[in-house]
Each structure stands twice: as structure tokens, then as C-alpha cells.
Amino acid sequence: MSLDKPTNLIEALIFASEKSITAEEIHQVLTELLEEPIEIKFILEKIEQIQAKYLDLDLAIELVHLNAGYQFLTKKEYYGAINQLQIQRSKKKLSQAALETLSIIAYKQPITKLEIEQIRGVNCDYTVQKLLEKELISISGKAETIGKPLLYKTSGLFMDYFGINSTNDLPQINELITENNTIGEQAE
């Protein structure tokens, strides 16, 4: 295969990827496929051309830099339609327990299951197992405490799922606290 339509090849790789794909991953595929040297700089230039093409055309999708890679996503103005679709598919949504557990892991990572359970006040075995199965979290090692419990952190799929580049993009906890979320009288 030759490099006569590199932009189309790169566009196809990004489109076919289930999650964001990095320029390095594209480089590996193209190097093996084309059997000739190709530079990352060349790939990045082609990605910029693809991004510009999708911005210029009146399409519902765009190429977005996400989680250190690239992914085709629906443009923000189509949020209402996509939201309606997601409501209809709500059986596949995360449960309240899963969202709470995932939030704790996202803000406190790396964290042990015992620490999660202490914050939530309930057993989290099932929820942690389901989040691992959905690949929203991963095991990041073992704690240096007695028993060497497993440490959990969010995964790249978590970033894709919530449309963020890093956990730094998560809302700050003080932004989430409102007067409606307090119990009892406030001290002055």
C-alpha cells in the first residue's frame, strides 16, 4: 500500500477507533502498513487538515483532541438530540452507586476499596467490579499499607466517557457545593 491518500487513511483510523487514538498509535499502524518511514509531524499536519475540513463543512461531527488522542464527536449544538437518545438507552447508564463510586475514585485517586467504602459508608465490591468490567477504572498498583490492598484510578475510557482530557478538567469540589447541599444552620 502506498501513501497516496494519507489524509483519508488517518481519517479512517480515527473514525474506526472505539476510543481516542494518539498520533503515536496512528504512526505505528502507518509505519507497519506502508513499510516506509513516516514522521509524527506529518501525521499531526494531516490531523490538522482533517480538523479544518470538518470545521469548514456543515456537518454534525467534528474531530476533537481528547485524552491525548483524537476522536470524532458530535458537535455541541446537537447535544439535545444526543441527550434524547441517551435517555432512551438509559438502561445502559451507570447506577447512582456506580456514579458515586466513580466520583470518589476520580477525585481521590489512587484509592483503595476500603477508603471508598469509608467515604460511601457501604460495601463497594459489586460496584468496583462493574466499573472495572466497563473499563472506567483500572488497578494502578498496591498500597504500601498492611495487606497491600489494590489501588484504583480512572482509565482513559473514563476520560472519553465524560469528554475530558484529564481529571484536572473535572469541576472543583468547591464549585459543586451550594447552599442547597448543606444540612443544618450555617455558623457565622
Side-chain angles (χ1 to χ4, degrees):
M1 184 174 231
S2 67
L3 195 60
D4 51 333
K5 290 201 174 188
T7 306
N8 290 355
L9 204 50
I10 293 168
E11 185 176 9
L13 289 171
I14 296 169
F15 179 78
S17 181
E18 294 176 357
K19 56 184 182 177
S20 61
I21 183 171
T22 65
E24 289 77 19
E25 290 172 313
I26 294 170
H27 178 262
Q28 289 172 348
V29 171
L30 293 181
T31 301
E32 193 168 312
L33 183 67
L34 302 173
E35 299 174 356
E36 58 184 81
I38 185 169
E39 293 185 27
I40 293 277
K41 182 180 176 184
F42 175 80
I43 293 170
L44 292 172
E45 288 170 1
K46 295 301 175 189
I47 289 172
E48 285 181 21
Q49 289 176 5
I50 296 167
Q51 283 177 314
K53 176 176 102 174
Y54 279 84
L55 287 175
D56 289 343
L57 299 175
D58 188 23
L59 300 173
I61 60 174
E62 62 185 335
L63 182 57
V64 177
H65 184 257
L66 183 70
N67 192 26
Y70 299 90
Q71 185 174 17
F72 283 106
L73 297 176
T74 309
K75 290 182 179 174
K76 291 179 183 177
E77 62 245 37
Y78 298 102
Y79 169 78
I82 301 304
N83 188 43
Q84 191 61 37
L85 174 65
Q86 295 304 325
I87 289 169
Q88 292 176 0
R89 294 183 175 176
S90 63
K91 292 180 185 175
K92 295 183 181 180
K93 281 188 176 179
L94 295 173
S95 67
Q96 185 66 31
L99 282 172
E100 289 173 8
T101 303
L102 193 54
S103 298
I104 292 167
I105 294 168
Y107 282 99
K108 301 281 188 178
Q109 63 186 317
I111 188 170
T112 66
K113 192 161 50 81
L114 177 63
E115 293 170 319
I116 298 167
E117 290 172 347
Q118 288 173 339
I119 293 169
R120 286 205 61 231
V122 295
N123 183 302
C124 294
D125 290 338
Y126 178 79
T127 306
V128 167
Q129 185 60 40
K130 286 297 175 192
L131 291 172
L132 283 168
E133 287 174 13
K134 291 179 187 269
E135 298 178 5
L136 292 171
I137 63 170
S138 61
I139 297 170
S140 65
K142 293 186 175 187
E144 294 298 322
T145 59
I146 297 173
K148 303 242 184 234
L150 295 174
L151 290 168
Y152 298 96
K153 66 175 186 167
T154 56
S155 67
L157 189 57
F158 167 85
M159 305 298 175
D160 290 347
Y161 188 88
F162 288 98
I164 58 176
N165 285 310
S166 74
T167 53
N168 294 334
D169 294 341
L170 290 170
Q172 296 301 310
I173 292 186
N174 59 358
E175 294 173 8
L176 301 174
I177 297 173
T178 65
E179 291 181 26
N180 296 339
N181 289 339
T182 59
I183 298 174
E185 295 179 21
Q186 296 294 320
E188 293 190 33

